[in-house]
Amino acid sequence: MTNKPQILLVYTGGTIGMVKDYESGALKAFDFSQILERIPELRQLNCDIETISFNKPIDSSNMNTDYFVQIAEIIENSYAKFDGFVVLTGSDTMAYTSSVISFMFENLQKPVIFTGSQLPIGDLRTDAKENLITSIEVACARKNNKPIISEVCLYFEYKLYRANRTTKINAEQFEAFASMNYPPLAESGVHLFFNEQLLYVPKDNSSKLVVRKRLNRNVVILKLFPGITKEVVQSILTIKNLKGVVLETYGAGNAPTEKWFIDLLKQAINNDIRIVNVTQCAGGSVIMGHYETSIKLKKVGVVGGKDITTESAIAKMMYLIGEELSKNEFKAIFETSLRGEISKES
Ligand code: ASP
């Protein structure tokens, strides 16, 4: 038996796992079970690494709720055996996927670190090696015989973020993610520095891990824009079986006050559709009732998303609607921070 941390590397797809075929110049997925042969540097890390890969790796644009459950089950089934998990996905939908996984795991006591890269691991100028190596180091990090991280995170370009706070902000630069409403949990320079006061501390070390898998996908993101028509709003709010709407409003949660708009929202809420107000702004918080233009939303029963990201709001909605809560329970729980996705003071 070894005392080294045991790390499970889960490869779902995305650019990070690709190499260039030097004859054709095309990018192709490589056999992830050979990662240690491909990147011998990994052997220098003070841990044992096992890998598991999706049978058919996917571009993260094809991510869906079945794959969310697949990722969650891989972690659940090996939870006892491993000390930490590093999940590789494409960066395009990583903020969504890692947010959903954060809600699916209740009483998580071990690190789950999502990462990927902008350039394939086989590329000369790749960002993949640093992202992968540091993510594994983060997953191994311990203090007083306990993991330093016991939450779902996203590591990219020298920064470790709380996953459910992230947004992909750049399709080109190595710094592809931002966490506008919460500072990085760790930064990698000469040393790996953890901002310990910002980390999520599990409430009770003895609580059993619960994995919530009943995700409801009858949800939609409705982004407002000046000039949006009644027909558009009406047709979205009357989609068959619709259960939840993340309403992307302006600024601090403001929306048109026109009667037709408020009436449509009211009707949808009466039809048992949950509506959550999030801001279109990259940073800041919804404060319902701050302006006249959000008082009406509050009155008809729209739930305040506070400073949650859109990615996290849709993830939390899929999870909470899956739990079949009453209107009041949904509001109370949505407006409470479950996994650090909402700031206390917002
Ligand atoms: N399109 C790729 C994906 O998200 C991009 C990446 O891997 O970063 O799967």
Side-chain angles (χ1 to χ4, degrees), residues 285-304:
S285 182
V286 160
I287 313 170
M288 295 240 285
H290 188 52
Y291 286 93
E292 198 199 344
T293 41
S294 66
I295 283 183
K296 287 188 177 163
L297 301 182
K298 198 172 176 180
K299 276 203 181 129
V300 296
V302 172
V303 175

Side-chain angles (χ1 to χ4, degrees), residues 170-188:
N170 204 303
E172 208 168 286
Q173 290 174 0
F174 287 155
E175 192 161 0
F177 288 89
S179 164
M180 294 297 292
N181 287 333
Y182 203 71
L185 303 181
E187 293 188 53
S188 162

